[in-house]
Amino acid sequence: MSFKEALQQQVLIADGAMGTLLYSQYGVDSAFEGLNLTHGGDILKIHQAYIAAGADVIQTNTYAANRIKLNRYGLADKTKAINEAAVSLAHTAQIAAEHTVYVLGTIGGIAGVTDTEIEPLTAEEIDAGVQEQAEYLLNTQAIDGILLETYYDIDELKRALKIVRKLTDLPIVANVTMYEPGVLQDGTPLNTALQALVTLGADVVGANCRLGPYNMRRAFESVALPENAALAIYPNAGLPDVQDGKTVYDSPAEYFENYSDTFRQQGAHLIGGCCGTTPAHIKGLVAGLQSRQPVTTKKVAPQATVAAPTAADPQQHDFLQRVQHEKVALVELDPPKTFATTKFFRGAQELSQAGVGAITLSDGPLANPTISNVALAAQLKYQYGITPLVHLTTRDHNLIGLQSEIMGLHTLGISNILVITGDPAKVGDLPGATSVYDLHSVELMQMIKKFNDGISPTGRNLQEKTNFAVGGAFNPNVRNVERACKMITRKTDYGADFIITQPIFDVEKIHALRLALDEQEITTPIFVGVMPLLSFRNANFLHHEVPGIRLADDTLARMQQAEVDGNEREVGLQIAKETIDAICADFNGVHINTPLRHHEISLELLNYVQAKNTVTV
């Protein structure tokens, strides 16, 4: 009997976690899929243990056996061999089993898995990884189907399903993963997502990972029995705990047994386990089934009604409106490193009175601790009526902290954010500090835009929509500006509403940037950076020691001569005004970096920009 025929006639029990058992033996730093080549006997024993526990379906040890994930362990060139070995090991266990066992070739989700030094993967890169791995698995001709599992991104799963469906007529199991019971991370209801997967050709649709039995049952109560397909449920053993530095699952197998028939009654034809489950849990699933007969009817609970997110109070991002038709300057004021804030707020007031578009507040510049820019932004907004633009780095906050920070900004009514990666912690005053970098800057942009839809990164309805304008940083001080401009397109694709550049000290680079933007038809508002120089020593430091900043040879020479002449401040200001002239010839947006908190210099430059809006009749 084929796997597809068996699924139609009876409830099948699948195996449990492979990674959990290997983690307990080899630790977290191991490439578990690489063990197919080096410790095949251990993999075989795990397959055999699950079969002995009563599993009818086992999956190959290939969850992360794609070129992208294997590359992290230097095993990309062994992708084919690892997948082939995995199938061989599972097939060996299959033919030795005393009851009928089916083997599924497993392909895990890839999106979101990157090294911190590498930009997020493109859809094309992810799809190529799926295509290659699927071909290796299918070419063995020793599997009974394909299992696509642990896909948080429904679009990624849809693409993977289409790819595999074109390659084979074998049954395909397509499992999504949820953070919140009954809803995917993009807010799509589970039932809607599963029906879409059936339409695309999946033979079995379901969910695995993240949720334990209790919440997995809750999720499937609102899932209808699909036509021409079966349901699959693979819960975790429960929530993990950390003991002596190791992740462990304490949920007993008996608890799993209590849910086995519940899952059958929810319509599942395929029931297995995910993280934390062991052969004992699978034995419990077998024991808990009161019947192997699949249900044919089911009372579907209505989808939980959650109030639609209400729109945020209208807030105009005034500087973005103005920059469309006039010259607008933003001024960056670094938050103080001490509690002496009088000069900071006096400077902000003077800049506001002069017509600044917004005061931008850095987030630990050069990885040095300062007063919280969010705290200062709130004071600027509510005590002084000044528009703040807050920098938010991915360096200092993990995913939990970033989400809390974004929610806090919205609660404070602060709606302008510049998303940046942030300088590594080791370059700052506290070299013992650690950098987080859970996300790349573009991924943080994407997260913030989801808040604008009233949805959290886990898919939770937030009951209110935010109204953030999100900016991205750009460094034009590179050899090939045209090629670098592709990063602006990438950032706008992820949701950037405006771009702020690093300071430019070469007027030719400004015009080259304009030409490159026009060539690529980039119309996003650009605020080009200018930083007045205070001295030759200051210029030398910026040129040689600050990442992303390069001065033209002529600029360095002029500042060196100014040191001799004793008029460095005047020459530095003149160079900045010449730079502003070049910027305003091609752009409406200027971003002034205040040098060493000398706001009076920024004020003079702001007035210089404002004067360009004066129309002479």
Side-chain angles (χ1 to χ4, degrees), residues 31-227:
F32 296 149
E33 291 72 20
L35 299 175
N36 295 330
L37 299 177
T38 61
H39 295 74
D42 292 338
I43 307 300
L44 179 60
K45 287 178 182 178
I46 293 174
H47 287 319
Q48 292 171 332
Y50 278 121
I51 291 172
D56 307 300
V57 180
I58 61 174
Q59 58 178 291
T60 57
N61 182 36
T62 54
Y63 169 75
N66 58 76
R67 182 172 299 276
I68 294 168
K69 290 184 177 179
L70 290 175
N71 187 56
R72 294 187 298 173
Y73 299 96
L75 296 173
D77 61 334
K78 292 183 169 57
T79 303
K80 182 174 186 289
I82 287 172
N83 280 276
E84 290 176 344
V87 174
S88 177
L89 291 166
H91 184 62
T92 298
Q94 176 188 37
I95 60 179
E98 296 181 357
H99 62 276
T100 301
V101 172
Y102 302 99
V103 173
L104 299 181
T106 299
I107 299 175
I110 300 175
V113 179
T114 61
D115 294 322
T116 56
E117 298 86 1
I118 303 173
E119 285 296 319
L121 298 165
T122 65
E124 292 74 18
E125 291 170 329
I126 292 172
D127 293 351
V130 172
Q131 175 94 19
E132 179 185 31
Q133 186 183 2
E135 289 176 350
Y136 291 152
L137 292 170
L138 291 167
N139 287 343
T140 64
Q141 299 185 359
I143 58 175
D144 300 291
I146 291 287
L147 170 63
L148 303 172
E149 68 166 10
T150 321
Y151 280 80
Y152 289 92
D153 185 338
I154 184 62
D155 291 330
E156 180 193 5
L157 179 53
K158 288 178 178 178
R159 297 197 315 271
L161 176 55
K162 291 177 182 177
I163 290 169
V164 178
R165 186 76 288 167
K166 289 180 180 179
L167 296 175
T168 183
D169 292 327
L170 290 176
I172 300 174
V173 182
N175 283 343
V176 300
T177 301
M178 300 167 282
Y179 289 105
E180 303 285 338
V183 63
L184 275 59
Q185 67 173 10
D186 67 349
T188 302
L190 176 61
N191 187 58
T192 302
L194 298 187
Q195 295 296 336
L197 295 172
V198 172
T199 301
L200 292 175
D203 301 278
V204 185
V205 294
N208 77 292
C209 204
R210 187 69 187 177
L211 304 180
Y214 171 76
N215 282 318
M216 197 68 86
R217 174 190 61 78
R218 287 178 57 207
F220 275 84
E221 286 177 344
S222 59
V223 173
L225 297 178
E227 295 183 11

Side-chain angles (χ1 to χ4, degrees), residues 6 99 132 166 209 259 270 290 328 335 396 401 444 481 542 583:
H99 62 276
E132 179 185 31
K166 289 180 180 179
C209 204
Y259 278 90
L270 183 61
Q290 297 179 14
V328 176
D396 300 326
L444 179 53
V481 176
L542 291 171
I583 294 171

Side-chain angles (χ1 to χ4, degrees), residues 140-408:
T140 64
Q141 299 185 359
I143 58 175
D144 300 291
I146 291 287
L147 170 63
L148 303 172
E149 68 166 10
T150 321
Y151 280 80
Y152 289 92
D153 185 338
I154 184 62
D155 291 330
E156 180 193 5
L157 179 53
K158 288 178 178 178
R159 297 197 315 271
L161 176 55
K162 291 177 182 177
I163 290 169
V164 178
R165 186 76 288 167
K166 289 180 180 179
L167 296 175
T168 183
D169 292 327
L170 290 176
I172 300 174
V173 182
N175 283 343
V176 300
T177 301
M178 300 167 282
Y179 289 105
E180 303 285 338
V183 63
L184 275 59
Q185 67 173 10
D186 67 349
T188 302
L190 176 61
N191 187 58
T192 302
L194 298 187
Q195 295 296 336
L197 295 172
V198 172
T199 301
L200 292 175
D203 301 278
V204 185
V205 294
N208 77 292
C209 204
R210 187 69 187 177
L211 304 180
Y214 171 76
N215 282 318
M216 197 68 86
R217 174 190 61 78
R218 287 178 57 207
F220 275 84
E221 286 177 344
S222 59
V223 173
L225 297 178
E227 295 183 11
N228 303 316
L231 291 178
I233 301 179
Y234 284 67
N236 278 0
L239 294 174
D241 190 14
V242 177
Q243 299 177 5
D244 298 325
K246 299 191 70 173
T247 302
V248 297
Y249 290 82
D250 287 335
S251 180
E254 292 77 15
Y255 181 67
F256 239 56
E257 181 177 337
N258 296 335
Y259 278 90
S260 183
D261 207 65
T262 299
F263 292 149
R264 181 186 71 87
Q265 293 170 22
Q266 289 299 327
H269 288 219
L270 183 61
I271 306 171
C274 204
C275 298
T277 58
T278 66
H281 291 83
I282 301 309
K283 186 175 182 179
L285 286 179
V286 174
L289 277 181
Q290 297 179 14
S291 170
R292 287 282 185 147
Q293 186 66 36
V295 300
T296 56
T297 60
K298 172 187 175 182
K299 182 178 180 180
V300 179
Q303 186 75 30
T305 55
V306 180
T310 57
D313 291 336
Q315 297 183 47
Q316 285 197 349
H317 307 286
D318 185 59
F319 68 96
L320 289 180
Q321 303 299 320
R322 288 170 51 197
V323 80
Q324 302 294 333
H325 53 80
E326 65 180 89
K327 308 301 180 185
V328 176
L330 311 177
V331 176
E332 181 172 326
L333 287 181
D334 285 340
K337 293 183 178 180
T338 71
F339 295 123
T341 59
T342 301
K343 182 178 180 181
F344 171 86
F345 286 115
R346 183 176 69 247
Q349 285 180 283
E350 292 178 6
L351 291 165
S352 177
Q353 291 165 2
V356 71
I359 298 294
T360 74
L361 301 165
S362 56
D363 188 7
L366 294 178
N368 293 321
T370 63
I371 294 176
S372 163
N373 61 356
V374 175
L376 293 175
Q379 287 184 275
L380 288 176
K381 179 178 177 66
Y382 292 109
Q383 292 184 25
Y384 301 98
I386 298 172
T387 300
L389 193 162
V390 173
H391 296 199
L392 182 59
T393 75
T394 64
R395 175 195 61 220
D396 300 326
H397 312 277
N398 65 11
L399 280 167
I400 300 169
L402 284 171
Q403 180 166 339
S404 296
E405 198 82 350
I406 295 164
M407 295 178 76

Side-chain angles (χ1 to χ4, degrees), residues 311-561:
D313 291 336
Q315 297 183 47
Q316 285 197 349
H317 307 286
D318 185 59
F319 68 96
L320 289 180
Q321 303 299 320
R322 288 170 51 197
V323 80
Q324 302 294 333
H325 53 80
E326 65 180 89
K327 308 301 180 185
V328 176
L330 311 177
V331 176
E332 181 172 326
L333 287 181
D334 285 340
K337 293 183 178 180
T338 71
F339 295 123
T341 59
T342 301
K343 182 178 180 181
F344 171 86
F345 286 115
R346 183 176 69 247
Q349 285 180 283
E350 292 178 6
L351 291 165
S352 177
Q353 291 165 2
V356 71
I359 298 294
T360 74
L361 301 165
S362 56
D363 188 7
L366 294 178
N368 293 321
T370 63
I371 294 176
S372 163
N373 61 356
V374 175
L376 293 175
Q379 287 184 275
L380 288 176
K381 179 178 177 66
Y382 292 109
Q383 292 184 25
Y384 301 98
I386 298 172
T387 300
L389 193 162
V390 173
H391 296 199
L392 182 59
T393 75
T394 64
R395 175 195 61 220
D396 300 326
H397 312 277
N398 65 11
L399 280 167
I400 300 169
L402 284 171
Q403 180 166 339
S404 296
E405 198 82 350
I406 295 164
M407 295 178 76
L409 286 167
H410 173 67
T411 302
L412 288 169
I414 298 169
S415 59
N416 301 308
I417 301 177
L418 176 68
V419 170
I420 56 176
T421 301
D423 302 300
K426 63 183 179 181
V427 308
D429 290 345
L430 301 173
T434 57
S435 299
V436 182
Y437 298 131
D438 277 357
L439 296 176
H440 293 279
S441 60
V442 290
E443 294 171 316
L444 179 53
M445 289 178 190
Q446 196 173 48
M447 176 192 290
I448 295 171
K449 286 298 184 174
K450 289 185 69 174
F451 278 87
N452 281 359
D453 292 329
I455 300 172
S456 79
T458 65
R460 178 182 298 157
N461 187 316
L462 294 171
Q463 307 294 303
E464 187 169 301
K465 294 181 180 181
T466 62
N467 187 29
F468 290 114
V470 184
F474 175 68
N475 180 18
N477 300 305
V478 293
R479 188 183 302 275
N480 190 324
V481 176
E482 184 174 353
R483 181 182 302 171
C485 279
K486 293 180 180 178
M487 179 54 67
I488 294 181
T489 300
R490 182 170 176 78
K491 291 189 175 184
T492 56
D493 288 344
Y494 274 83
D497 299 299
F498 61 95
I499 298 293
I500 293 179
T501 80
Q502 289 273 31
I504 298 179
F505 294 91
D506 183 346
V507 295
E508 293 182 4
K509 187 73 70 176
I510 295 168
H511 188 58
L513 174 61
R514 179 73 271 168
L515 292 176
L517 293 169
D518 291 342
E519 178 70 24
Q520 298 180 39
E521 299 182 348
I522 296 173
T523 59
T524 305
I526 309 290
F527 293 85
V528 182
V530 58
M531 176 184 288
L533 300 169
L534 299 178
S535 65
F536 176 58
R537 185 171 60 180
N538 170 230
N540 240 346
F541 169 75
L542 291 171
H543 180 69
H544 290 103
E545 297 193 36
V546 178
I549 293 181
R550 289 293 178 268
L551 276 64
D553 292 340
D554 176 63
T555 300
L556 284 172
R558 289 174 67 182
M559 291 305 299
Q560 187 172 22
Q561 182 61 46

